[in-house]
Amino acid sequence: MSTHRNWAGNVEYAARAYRRPSSIDELRELVAGSDRIRAVGSGHSFNRLGDTTGDLVTLAGLPATPRLDEQRRVVHVPAALRYGDLATWLHERGYALANLASLPHISVAGAVATGTHGSGETVGNLATAVAGLELVTAAGDLLTVDRTDPDFTGMVVSLGALGIVTRLTLDVVPTFEVRQYVRLDLPREALDEALASAYSVSVFTDWRSTRGTQVWRKQLADQPAPPADWLGTAAADRPWHPVPGMPVANCTEQLGVPGPWHERLPHFRLGFTPSNGDELQSEYHLPRAVAADALVALDEVAHLIAPVAQTSELRTIAADELWLSPQYDRDSLAVHFTWIADAAAVLPVLAEVERALAPFAPRPHWGKVFTMPTGTIAATYSRWTDFAALVNRLDPNGKFRTEELDQLLPR
């Protein structure tokens, strides 16, 4: 196979072969005949959790048309479809998803499997919209599950360990409009109020002070605009990019101009480079109730963070009941870091960040860079052993396992 890398270029896949089936039957035959196999989506993972020394399979060759069920208010989605393409398709038919991640370039199955999220005090991560799954199991069988299955809440955020997901069923809502306002220089003491002030809110900081450099407020279009003196901030009078120096044309429209949900909830526009592109990313999910204390702890290592961070983002996500979701059983604050693309410089700082956050039971984002030991992570999930048992039951020979998964879920 030719060399394949992830989106950021920091992971070169070790797979012996790269497969692109054109039908479900071809995929089933491929899975049944392989000893090691993993699916790869849009490649927006920054670690080796999805890598394999066996076969790496893309589902981009399978039929890609969604199917809307208006009576049930769900949409059946091919796994490889990108959220941006799905969102456009839904909006044209008068429907929406409850939330989107900061970039629309990611595949639906990959984002769901890793617990990827947007922001909003009352909105769950993207996986909470999943009402059903179709996947190819280790034997090559096609398994369909929904919310009536007792294992369903363990199968949604699965890290790709249970099989190759081919289709997902997602809840939809009527389409809606959003206005996006950027505010500057938020005082730390106003952070809680800011995060709860709109449908979706992100606060960016550079860790050079305790103030938020930018607040991205994504509010429903029929809500009043923030007052001029909102929480002691200044209104942006031009578009901004979260990463200083990057082109603002890459970002979704701001300055309060109303627009459809899928063109405002993400930070970045489909068809343009999201974030910087030349970067590493880490993210930790903390109980919402300890947010203030956790940020004070990070202030102690801010002098280490600032030189290697391009930006850092704070978001909130509602609790859910998905066993391996970073928001399992707790409302959460996500602390995200966009690092420079230099692992040698970043990893020692990452160790200090994890040390500072250790008292607050952090959970890492499954698709980003982290160094936390398995035992520390597992201790924050009450259903960890249940998930490990589910993996061993559905994949007894470890067909979907990787070196990283073996470290997380020893057999």
Side-chain angles (χ1 to χ4, degrees), residues 44-292:
H44 279 81
S45 178
F46 292 81
N47 60 44
R48 306 198 76 93
L49 196 61
D51 195 12
T52 180
T53 55
D55 299 313
L56 203 60
V57 59
T58 174
L59 305 187
L62 300 184
T65 303
R67 180 169 60 84
L68 183 64
D69 184 336
E70 295 189 79
Q71 184 174 0
R72 293 179 54 207
R73 289 288 183 94
V74 296
V75 61
H76 303 284
V77 183
L81 194 63
R82 296 185 303 173
Y83 268 98
D85 298 319
L86 171 62
T88 300
W89 187 92
L90 280 174
H91 177 68
E92 290 172 350
R93 288 156 179 80
Y95 288 93
L97 302 172
N99 212 339
L100 290 171
S102 60
L103 63 162
H105 308 65
I106 52 180
S107 68
V108 174
V112 165
T114 54
T116 297
H117 60 92
S119 184
E121 294 269 283
T122 62
V123 183
N125 66 31
L126 302 183
T128 60
V130 177
L133 291 171
E134 177 188 272
L135 65 157
V136 176
T137 65
D141 298 326
L142 196 62
L143 175 65
T144 301
V145 296
D146 61 26
R147 288 177 174 140
T148 65
D149 192 298
D151 292 328
F152 180 74
T153 50
M155 297 181 70
V156 180
V157 180
S158 68
L159 313 184
L162 303 176
I164 295 183
V165 173
T166 56
R167 184 170 291 271
L168 305 93
T169 302
L170 306 181
D171 296 327
V172 296
V173 298
T175 193
F176 57 97
E177 288 205 331
V178 174
R179 297 178 188 266
Q180 181 167 224
Y181 295 91
V182 174
R183 307 288 303 201
L184 309 175
D185 204 24
L186 177 77
R188 171 70 68 80
E189 59 269 20
L191 177 65
D192 279 347
E193 187 175 350
L195 288 169
S197 69
Y199 188 84
S200 173
V201 179
S202 292
V203 176
F204 294 92
T205 180
D206 57 12
W207 297 103
R208 289 173 173 81
S209 79
T210 59
R211 301 179 78 90
T213 55
Q214 303 174 39
V215 183
W216 288 45
R217 297 182 69 257
K218 302 166 189 284
Q219 64 178 61
L220 299 178
D222 60 358
Q223 299 299 304
D229 60 350
W230 183 76
L231 298 182
T233 63
D237 60 0
R238 60 174 177 81
W240 283 70
H241 192 291
V243 179
M246 293 300 295
V248 298
N250 295 5
C251 296
T252 49
E253 192 158 1
Q254 302 161 32
L255 301 176
V257 178
W261 59 285
H262 66 293
E263 294 179 359
R264 297 294 184 274
L265 291 179
H267 302 332
F268 306 105
R269 298 167 60 193
L270 192 65
F272 291 76
T273 300
S275 191
N276 183 332
D278 189 19
E279 65 197 53
L280 300 174
Q281 291 184 13
S282 300
E283 186 173 69
Y284 299 93
H285 300 262
L286 312 165
R288 183 70 177 85
V290 304

Side-chain angles (χ1 to χ4, degrees), residues 26-35 37 136-141 399:
E26 185 181 347
L27 173 64
R28 293 177 61 188
E29 183 178 351
L30 178 61
V31 172
S34 179
D35 62 333
I37 192 166
V136 176
T137 65
D141 298 326
K399 181 170 291 192

Side-chain angles (χ1 to χ4, degrees), residues 286-309:
L286 312 165
R288 183 70 177 85
V290 304
D293 291 339
L295 293 179
V296 170
L298 286 174
D299 288 339
E300 297 299 316
V301 294
H303 65 289
L304 302 175
I305 297 172
V308 293

